Amino acid sequence: MTLAAAKIVKDAIPEWNMSGIVIMKDDHATQDEINTLELEYNINVYPASHPIPDERSVSAASKILSSVSNISNNRTLVLCCVSGGGSALFCTPRPPLVLSDLASTNACLLSS
């Protein structure tokens, strides 16, 4: 899915100097697909847990938020593609919630 989305965007805006970050469920892409994303599309891939978020989810979400907050040109196009699993993969708990609160809530919902 991620590689297909990158191809669609690049085909739609071929002159765009694409770069980005992807948070992907473990084993959801082949190593060849990951290499293509990183080498041809300048997209860094971070694996994380789904359906229950983990520390990698928080770390990768922080990388995205930091990257976007460091944009200095107000004419920079930021494109956000979210498909299934976004709530677990892009996880940024805010106090008083902590990661274990979100993980236990997801686990409870899954068991119901």
Side-chain angles (χ1 to χ4, degrees):
M1 175 66 183
T2 303
L3 183 54
K7 287 180 180 179
I8 289 168
V9 171
K10 192 62 173 177
D11 288 347
I13 315 171
E15 68 280 2
W16 189 24
N17 186 14
M18 183 186 300
S19 66
I21 298 172
V22 167
I23 308 172
M24 186 181 302
K25 179 179 175 180
D26 289 317
D27 302 320
H28 212 64
T30 66
Q31 191 58 52
D32 285 344
E33 291 170 325
I34 292 170
N35 291 344
T36 299
L37 286 166
E38 292 178 343
L39 299 174
E40 291 184 29
Y41 296 97
N42 197 28
I43 295 175
N44 296 315
V45 178
Y46 295 95
S49 180
H50 177 273
I52 298 174
D54 62 9
E55 287 293 336
R56 297 173 304 154
S57 306
V58 174
S59 176
S62 294
K63 289 178 190 325
I64 290 175
L65 292 173
S66 176
S67 175
V68 171
S69 68
N70 288 328
I71 295 172
S72 60
N73 182 341
N74 64 359
R75 295 189 46 80
T76 298
L77 174 64
V78 176
L79 181 63
C80 177
C81 301
V82 180
S83 62
S87 62
L89 297 170
F90 188 91
C91 181
T92 58
R94 296 291 180 232
L97 294 176
V98 294
L99 177 59
S100 62
D101 295 326
L102 298 177
S104 62
T105 299
N106 280 21
C108 182
L109 291 169
L110 288 167
S111 68
S112 62

